[in-house]
Amino acid sequence: MGAKIAIQGIKGSFHHQVVREYYDEAVEIDECLSFEELVSSLLSGKSDQAVMAIENSIAGPIIPNYALIDKNNLHIIGEHYLSIHQNLMALKGQKMEDILEVHSHPMALLQCMDFLKTYPHIKIVEDKDTAETARRIQTNQLKGIAAIGSRVASEMYDLEILAPEIQTIKNNMTRFVIINKENSFVAEKDINRASIKFELDHKRGSLAAVLNVMSDCKMNLTKIQSLPKIETPWKYSFFVDVTFEDYADFAKAKSLITIMAEYFKVLGEYKNTKPLTANN
C-alpha cells in the first residue's frame, strides 16, 4: 500500500475522485468530515499528504482554506482541476415522483437549484457531504430520499441515477491543491505556478506598486484575494496566485516583494496543470 492521503468527505466524494486521478499508485484514504480535521490528520502524521478544494470556477476562491494552509505552515506541492458533474441518485427502483426529499452538501444544492425548482414538492435538506449522504441512503435503505453527488458515489453505493448532469452551469470546475508538511521538491525548471501571501503598509499605492513588480517580472496574476487581519484593524493579508514561464522571473519578483512588503511568505511553488479548456 502506498501513501495515506487525507480528504474532506468520504470515498465517493469529489475529493476522493481527485485522489483517484492524481495519484498513480494505490494509496490509502483518511476520510475527514471537515477541512480542520484534514489539516489535523496531516499535522499529526496520520496522513502523508492531503487533497483540499481551494477554488471553484463559479463560487470563486475558498479563502478559509488558504488561511488554514498559512496558519499551519503547510505547503502546496501540486494542483488538480476537476470538472464537477452533479447527479441525482436514489435507491434502485425509485422514480422522480417517489422522491420527497433531496439531501446534499449546500454547495451541491446551490449548483443544482434551477433543476430542483422544477420539482417544488421536493424538500431540500442540507447535509455535510455528498458521498456520505449517498452511503446513508444505501445503508439505511431510505426510500423517498435522493442524494446529489458524483457518478463515482452512485457506483460505490449502488444507487441509481434518476437525473444526470443536473448542475445549472455545465462548465463547472473546481481546483484542488495537494498539501504537505514539507516544501515541494519539484525541479525549478518544472515550476511555473506559485501561491504567495503578503501584507502591506496601509498607505496609498502600496498594492499597486507590488502589482507593477509582478507585471514587470512577467508574472500572470490568476487570483488575488484580501483577508482582514483580525488582530490589526484596517490591515489586510493578500493571497495571490501567479503563473510564469521562467522561474528566474519569479525569483526576482520574490526578492523585490520581500523588500516592499511588511510580511511575505510563499505558500507553494509547483507545476501549473490548468487545462487549456474546461470542456473536457
Side-chain angles (χ1 to χ4, degrees):
M1 185 63 70
K4 192 167 192 176
I5 312 301
I7 63 170
Q8 191 275 317
I10 68 169
K11 291 178 181 178
S13 66
F14 290 113
H15 278 77
H16 180 219
Q17 190 170 335
V18 170
V19 171
R20 287 169 54 146
E21 294 181 9
Y22 184 84
Y23 293 93
D24 293 331
E25 75 277 9
V27 296
E28 289 185 78
I29 299 293
D30 183 27
E31 301 173 330
C32 306
L33 287 183
S34 71
F35 288 113
E36 289 79 7
E37 186 182 333
L38 176 149
V39 168
S40 294
S41 172
L42 191 56
L43 291 174
S44 68
K46 185 179 179 183
S47 59
D48 301 298
Q49 294 180 4
V51 170
M52 176 184 279
I54 205 76
E55 187 176 5
N56 180 263
S57 59
I58 299 166
I62 307 171
I63 290 301
N65 285 356
Y66 274 98
L68 275 174
I69 293 169
D70 173 38
K71 177 182 175 182
N72 293 284
N73 293 313
L74 297 172
H75 300 271
I76 300 173
I77 62 169
E79 65 177 1
H80 187 79
Y81 289 79
L82 185 69
S83 186
I84 303 297
H85 302 277
Q86 301 285 13
N87 306 277
L88 187 79
M89 60 194 75
L91 290 175
K92 290 183 176 177
Q94 300 263 283
K95 296 183 174 142
M96 279 304 302
E97 52 265 33
D98 300 322
I99 303 303
L100 302 176
E101 296 181 5
V102 172
H103 295 216
S104 197
H105 188 278
M107 184 62 73
L109 293 169
L110 282 172
Q111 291 173 354
C112 304
M113 201 52 69
D114 281 5
F115 172 84
L116 295 173
K117 283 178 181 176
T118 63
Y119 296 91
H121 71 283
I122 296 179
K123 181 181 177 181
I124 297 172
V125 180
E126 293 186 356
D127 219 322
K128 289 183 179 180
D129 179 64
T130 55
E132 200 280 329
T133 302
R135 181 174 67 180
R136 189 167 65 249
I137 288 173
Q138 181 56 249
T139 300
N140 299 324
Q141 290 292 292
L142 300 178
K143 293 185 177 180
I145 297 179
I148 293 175
S150 68
R151 188 170 291 275
V152 171
S154 71
E155 295 168 356
M156 190 163 286
Y157 301 112
D158 198 28
L159 298 181
E160 185 172 349
I161 293 179
L162 302 183
E165 304 285 338
I166 64 170
Q167 67 273 11
T168 302
I169 300 174
K170 302 307 178 187
N171 191 4
N172 177 13
M173 299 198 80
T174 295
R175 176 180 167 231
F176 295 79
V177 290
I178 314 304
I179 57 176
N180 196 357
K181 285 195 293 185
E182 305 298 328
N183 205 352
S184 173
F185 295 104
V186 178
E188 280 191 6
K189 65 180 179 61
D190 295 324
I191 296 173
N192 56 3
R193 186 177 185 119
S195 298
I196 62 175
K197 172 197 174 182
F198 55 83
E199 296 168 7
L200 302 173
D201 188 18
H202 187 60
K203 63 181 182 182
R204 186 177 65 185
S206 58
L207 178 58
V210 169
L211 296 181
N212 283 335
V213 164
M214 292 182 184
S215 177
D216 291 344
C217 293
K218 304 175 187 175
M219 304 287 102
N220 178 30
L221 186 70
T222 60
K223 184 193 67 61
I224 181 169
Q225 186 76 34
S226 62
L227 192 66
K229 289 188 67 180
I230 297 173
E231 68 278 10
T232 312
W234 311 117
K235 282 216 170 185
Y236 295 84
S237 299
F238 293 92
F239 291 90
V240 173
D241 282 350
V242 293
T243 58
F244 43 88
E245 292 185 5
D246 189 338
Y247 186 85
D249 291 328
F250 176 61
K252 181 181 178 182
K254 280 195 297 183
S255 63
L256 292 171
I257 297 172
T258 300
I259 297 170
M260 299 168 68
E262 291 190 336
Y263 178 82
F264 177 76
K265 181 180 184 180
V266 176
L267 301 177
E269 301 176 357
Y270 46 100
K271 186 174 178 60
N272 178 23
T273 62
K274 185 175 182 180
L276 295 176
T277 173
N279 298 317
N280 55 4

